[in-house]
Amino acid sequence: MAYFRRAATALVLIFQLHLFLSLSNAHNITRILAKDPDFSTFNHYLSATHLADEINRRQTITVLAVDNSAMSSILSNGYSLYQIRNILSLHVLVDYFGTKKLHQITDGSTSTASMFQSTGSATGTSGYINITDIKGGKVAFGVQDDDSKLTAHYVKSVFEKPYNISVLHISQVLTSPEAEAPTASPSDLILTTILEKQGCKAFSDILKSTGADKTFQDTVDGGLTVFCPSDSAVGKFMPKFKSLSPANKTALVLYHGMPVYQSLQMLRSGNGAVNTLATEGNNKFDFTVQNDGEDVTLETDVVTAKVMGTLKDQEPLIVYKIDKVLLPREIYKAVKTSAPAPKSSKKKPKNAEADADGPSADAPSDDDVEVADDKNGAVSAMITRTSSVVTAIVGLCFGVWLM
């Protein structure tokens, strides 16, 4: 009993240490800047453009903050919120530069990518920032595509957590013609048109045929993530789609949209269940996002689809291409594998064993799913209850160990 008690105590300590380390690496740019009212305007627009969320999700980042006076120079030009986002993206460097590092730059000058560059919004290297340690101990900054002009200089350090986050005050706003270029407003982003131009005409057609295109379009302003199956995947699935009821057709199409903007960096930053446009009340219609390094997959309990690439990324809309149609468990369920046939006494053909053990022997195909019956919810509830019972038993055993 003493052994189990010590083992349980060790597990608790390990968990607490892991939690402490996780929290110690977290940062919140909004709270950091809120301590100084001189950065209130800059702080406000980081939140309004959702850049603050991107900054907080990254483990290594440098923010080049400008004060309220400097911010007035771009606000007076009447830029849209999306143009302001591009401009401020130039102020977020995807590398760590503390005060010490600024004065230890090799050869006195370097170039580093900004978030404007890393998100694919910039063309070529126009999203890179030049940093130069000039005479007299001063450090200057400039946008690479602006004739390498050094338009701003280092003022002071606002906050530093070595190799995690650095917030530096610079004198002027960094901008460029490309960052200032007009961008389409959400109302100008017609989803079905975008899909048709990006190789997703088949999915666009079923959006329109079910009337779900209006729901998708109405959601764009508040943020929308779309997972578009390739034309070949939709074509292969169409016979099954045609057999669904009108309500299930609409639900399946809505299942391919999330009512929130999720960049690829956001998808890669964590695993877990997400709601969809089909989620309503007791109808969960959720799926699980899983990531393994650079790969992101979507798991529905019926099928696993892989994100193949980004077709359109213009906040608040982002469209990904996936390799399969997403099949919700609320509509489909896996067909139970039949019992193996009795072994025959006859000698197997020469290649029979190789065929049985081949990669496709146990792989589920599109034919391995069927429309769920009314017991689908009951099965889900049973699984939930079973999980709860297991959790309770484990908790009880853990408590006994501590006695």
Side-chain angles (χ1 to χ4, degrees):
M1 185 64 71
Y3 168 78
F4 287 121
R5 187 161 54 245
R6 287 194 297 271
T9 302
L11 287 173
V12 171
L13 291 174
I14 291 171
F15 173 76
Q16 290 176 336
L17 178 60
H18 174 74
L19 182 61
F20 171 77
L21 292 175
S22 299
L23 293 175
S24 65
N25 288 328
H27 53 258
N28 188 308
I29 186 61
T30 305
R31 293 177 183 173
I32 292 170
L33 292 173
K35 296 176 182 178
D36 192 334
D38 287 342
F39 300 112
S40 60
T41 304
F42 182 76
N43 196 13
H44 166 75
Y45 280 98
L46 285 184
S47 296
T49 58
H50 302 294
L51 283 173
D53 294 333
E54 288 279 4
I55 292 169
N56 292 340
R57 284 184 175 90
R58 292 179 180 256
Q59 294 183 343
T60 303
I61 206 83
T62 299
V63 180
L64 305 177
V66 293
D67 60 26
N68 297 338
S69 176
M71 279 294 294
S72 63
S73 65
I74 61 171
L75 298 180
S76 61
N77 289 328
Y79 293 132
S80 70
L81 188 63
Y82 307 101
Q83 289 171 291
I84 293 175
R85 174 186 168 85
N86 287 342
I87 293 170
L88 295 188
S89 293
L90 290 168
H91 292 72
V92 184
L93 311 182
V94 293
D95 195 0
Y96 179 84
F97 285 90
T99 305
K100 185 177 180 180
K101 186 176 178 179
L102 287 179
H103 295 286
Q104 295 178 341
I105 296 174
T106 304
D107 298 326
S109 183
T110 190
S111 180
T112 189
S114 69
M115 193 173 287
F116 187 52
Q117 180 74 31
S118 67
T119 56
S121 300
T123 58
T125 58
S126 60
Y128 278 81
I129 302 298
N130 288 332
I131 307 175
T132 302
D133 187 6
I134 57 180
K135 293 181 180 180
K138 293 184 179 180
V139 179
F141 301 83
V143 180
Q144 187 158 302
D145 75 340
D146 191 20
D147 298 325
S148 297
K149 293 179 181 178
L150 301 175
T151 56
H153 64 267
Y154 168 77
V155 177
K156 66 179 181 180
S157 173
V158 177
F159 179 87
E160 293 183 24
K161 180 186 285 187
Y163 311 110
N164 183 210
I165 181 171
S166 173
V167 182
L168 307 176
H169 179 193
I170 63 172
S171 61
Q172 299 292 332
V173 170
L174 299 173
T175 187
S176 69
E178 186 168 54
E180 295 175 1
T183 57
S185 64
S187 58
D188 296 328
L189 298 172
I190 308 303
L191 179 61
T192 51
T193 301
I194 292 171
L195 293 176
E196 290 167 7
K197 289 181 178 179
Q198 297 294 337
C200 282
K201 187 178 185 307
F203 185 66
S204 176
D205 287 343
I206 61 175
L207 270 178
K208 291 185 283 190
S209 69
T210 58
D213 58 322
K214 185 178 187 306
T215 302
F216 275 82
Q217 193 63 49
D218 290 346
T219 309
V220 170
D221 282 357
L224 176 65
T225 299
V226 181
F227 297 100
C228 172
S230 64
D231 282 352
S232 60
V234 174
K236 184 179 180 181
F237 176 71
M238 280 308 292
K240 296 180 179 64
F241 181 75
K242 291 177 180 178
S243 68
L244 295 176
S245 67
N248 279 346
K249 286 180 180 178
T250 301
L252 184 140
V253 174
L254 292 175
Y255 191 60
H256 289 74
M258 290 167 50
V260 64
Y261 172 86
Q262 286 279 303
S263 68
L264 191 56
Q265 177 67 25
M266 294 176 182
L267 289 180
R268 287 173 177 164
S269 66
N271 302 317
V274 295
N275 289 335
T276 67
L277 293 176
T279 302
E280 184 179 2
N282 293 328
N283 297 320
K284 293 182 68 175
F285 279 97
D286 59 357
F287 56 77
T288 300
V289 176
Q290 293 285 352
N291 60 79
D292 181 11
E294 297 296 305
D295 295 331
V296 177
T297 56
L298 314 176
E299 300 178 1
T300 75
D301 290 345
V302 180
V303 69
T304 297
K306 183 178 180 180
V307 174
M308 306 301 292
T310 306
L311 301 180
K312 181 74 172 180
D313 184 1
Q314 186 173 326
E315 194 171 358
L317 171 67
I318 188 164
V319 181
Y320 298 103
K321 176 170 280 190
I322 56 177
D323 64 346
K324 295 178 182 177
V325 175
L326 297 176
L327 306 179
R329 58 184 175 275
E330 287 81 1
I331 296 177
Y332 289 94
K333 64 179 180 181
V335 174
K336 294 180 180 179
T337 304
S338 57
K343 291 184 179 180
S344 172
S345 58
K346 295 181 180 180
K347 188 176 181 180
K348 288 183 180 180
K350 193 171 184 179
N351 295 325
E353 185 174 344
D355 291 340
D357 293 335
S360 62
D362 297 320
S365 69
D366 288 340
D367 294 328
D368 291 333
V369 295
E370 62 182 11
V371 177
D373 55 26
D374 293 336
K375 295 179 181 179
N376 188 61
V379 172
S380 178
M382 182 180 71
I383 293 172
T384 302
R385 287 194 296 270
T386 302
S387 299
S388 299
V389 170
V390 172
T391 302
I393 292 172
V394 171
L396 179 60
C397 294
F398 188 74
V400 171
W401 289 348
L402 291 175
M403 293 176 63

